[in-house]
Amino acid sequence: ELPRPVESVDAIAGKGLVGNRYFDEGDPGKELTLIEAEALEALEAEHGLSLDGAASRRNVLTRGVQLNDLVGRRFRVGELECLGIELCEPCLHLEQMTKPGVIKGLVHRAGLNAQILVGGELRPGDPVTPLA
């Protein structure tokens, strides 16, 4: 079952998004996942593979921010304060759930795994802002 867009979701520091399958798993790198809309657009342009935000299996779809640059850095997503843990590389499970070629098309641009340091309410359209 694909994730579905929501009006808002509570994000809890150290746990993740309420209702997410990884909530309270204790893995900081699975508390929040983000992917760039531009990466999904490039996947279609370069490989002819159409994948929307929900099918990418990431929690947050961004635009206009270089997520790879946030590895090891603090940043905000609306009310939340997060820490970029590592790149979220595409995996065989994602390819099996979507289309052949997704792994090759999303290598090094399949998103960011982040830890939630300060929780709050997450809403569509919340800006992603790097912190100094």
Side-chain angles (χ1 to χ4, degrees), residues 13-107:
K15 294 182 181 279
L17 301 180
V18 173
N20 185 280
R21 63 188 172 141
Y22 294 118
F23 184 78
D24 205 21
E25 191 171 286
D27 183 345
K30 292 184 178 178
E31 292 177 20
L32 185 69
T33 57
L34 305 93
I35 191 166
E36 297 171 20
E38 294 88 346
L40 298 179
E41 292 162 357
L43 178 68
E44 184 164 13
E46 297 168 12
H47 299 275
L49 299 172
S50 177
L51 202 66
D52 66 13
S56 76
R57 319 245 350 132
R58 306 298 181 248
N59 305 128
V60 175
L61 181 66
T62 68
R63 181 168 297 280
V65 62
Q66 299 289 318
L67 294 175
N68 289 13
D69 293 346
L70 296 178
V71 173
R73 293 193 58 199
R74 288 177 179 250
F75 62 97
R76 285 200 169 283
V77 182
E79 296 178 358
L80 312 184
E81 186 174 325
C82 302
L83 174 65
I85 300 293
E86 63 186 359
L87 295 183
C88 188
E89 293 293 0
C91 62
L92 184 58
H93 179 69
L94 176 63
E95 188 163 275
Q96 289 171 336
M97 305 265 313
T98 55
K99 302 170 183 173
V102 164
I103 290 176
K104 181 179 178 187
L106 287 178
V107 167

